[in-house]
Amino acid sequence: MPRDQLAAQLNGIQYPAHRAITKDQIAAAKAAGLVIVFGASDDLMEFEGAIRDEFGCYNGGTAWIDAKGLLDRSQIDDDDDEAIADFVKRRTSAESIQAIWDQDGFSWIYETDIPHTTFNVWEGEDGYCRGIVFALADLKSQVTP
């Protein structure tokens, strides 16, 4: 499934998106190597599909991602030298997704240089989130998962 097709299916869903995105859509995204990014609450960036994770971003923030998944230094024990070395190595080729709070009529929008397609999540008649769909294959630097 191309990312544009999945984004078109998701466009117009209601908040909370994690309840509106179907298991079939998640399975199709995973099979196609696609990642769905959307907001949850006032502090989370959610990832579904080929990557399933979440990133805390109260009032906005920047998530770093590669083909292995989300990089989150706060999840690594300071005494785990091997995990820290892996994080540092991956971070040099990871790409960013910036979560922006309260802009353009949405609670959440996302900016990234990763090629992507957007979709809108509504809360009633109000804009809640402008989510994105991207392909792992479009990441600049491929890391073997």
Side-chain angles (χ1 to χ4, degrees), residues 25-131:
Q25 289 169 324
I26 293 169
K30 187 174 183 176
L34 299 175
V35 179
I36 306 164
V37 180
F38 56 93
S41 187
D42 64 351
D43 63 348
L44 289 177
M45 183 188 317
E46 297 276 347
F47 297 81
E48 281 290 357
I51 295 173
R52 186 169 195 279
D53 213 331
E54 63 183 30
F55 176 74
C57 54
Y58 182 75
N59 279 333
T62 302
W64 293 91
I65 193 163
D66 66 13
K68 283 186 174 181
L70 185 65
L71 285 82
D72 190 348
R73 175 62 179 90
S74 69
Q75 299 298 313
I76 300 172
D77 184 3
D78 288 338
D79 295 333
D80 190 342
D81 293 337
E82 187 176 322
I84 292 170
D86 182 59
F87 171 85
V88 170
K89 180 180 177 184
R90 288 176 59 202
R91 175 62 178 79
T92 62
S93 61
E95 297 190 59
S96 66
I97 302 174
Q98 183 178 9
I100 301 167
W101 176 253
D102 195 20
Q103 185 172 305
D104 296 338
F106 289 89
S107 295
W108 289 113
I109 63 169
Y110 302 96
E111 291 184 357
T112 184
D113 289 335
I114 303 167
H116 64 277
T117 304
T118 62
F119 64 95
N120 293 331
V121 178
W122 299 99
E123 188 171 23
E125 295 182 18
D126 298 324
Y128 176 74
C129 168
R130 182 171 294 141

